[in-house]
Amino acid sequence: MEYVPRETILNDLKSEMENIMDDYGLEDIGIYEEEGEGKDYYIGYTIRKDGKIYMINIPFVKNDKNELAIAEQSWTIQQENGEHKGCRTLGEVFQTINQLH
């Protein structure tokens, strides 16, 4: 497991925001972070598409230095009606979102 500083992950996500917004026809995009129980941590995006809000995130594990490593290459889509797990890429995430509405 390769740990990297949290800021590095956030900077990588931020650098892709404009491309993601353009590529997938989003109305808005922002960074999503949530600290889970124990060493669990979730980072991804909050997006608005067709007037609906979605939180998409990937699970990380935090070490004692507050560095993060991807726990599993599996995106989760959270929305008002529940959540969908198991997307392996952002392309799959947006295909699923398109099917959800």
Side-chain angles (χ1 to χ4, degrees):
M1 217 179 268
E2 182 182 340
Y3 286 90
V4 297
R6 178 182 144 274
E7 294 76 20
T8 300
I9 296 165
L10 292 175
N11 288 337
D12 288 348
L13 291 176
K14 286 177 188 172
S15 71
E16 291 299 315
M17 286 173 54
E18 189 173 327
N19 290 334
I20 291 170
M21 198 162 168
D22 293 341
D23 290 349
Y24 298 107
L26 305 179
E27 297 157 16
D28 197 16
I29 188 169
I31 297 293
Y32 172 86
E33 284 186 89
E34 181 180 344
E35 193 154 1
E37 294 184 24
K39 296 184 180 278
D40 295 340
Y41 205 89
Y42 304 90
I43 297 181
Y45 298 107
T46 299
I47 63 165
R48 186 172 67 232
K49 182 172 175 70
D50 300 328
K52 296 181 181 178
I53 305 289
Y54 302 90
M55 278 78 69
I56 57 175
N57 63 74
I58 197 161
F60 287 83
V61 176
K62 183 172 59 170
N63 68 12
D64 296 334
K65 298 177 187 175
N66 286 326
E67 297 171 322
L68 303 173
I70 292 178
E72 181 182 356
Q73 184 63 46
S74 178
W75 289 86
T76 297
I77 303 165
Q78 297 172 309
Q79 62 172 351
E80 208 174 275
N81 303 342
E83 66 181 30
H84 177 84
K85 294 184 177 204
C87 297
R88 303 203 54 75
T89 65
L90 277 178
E92 285 182 30
V93 166
F94 289 103
Q95 281 181 322
T96 303
I97 287 173
N98 288 337
Q99 293 170 357
L100 291 173
H101 65 272

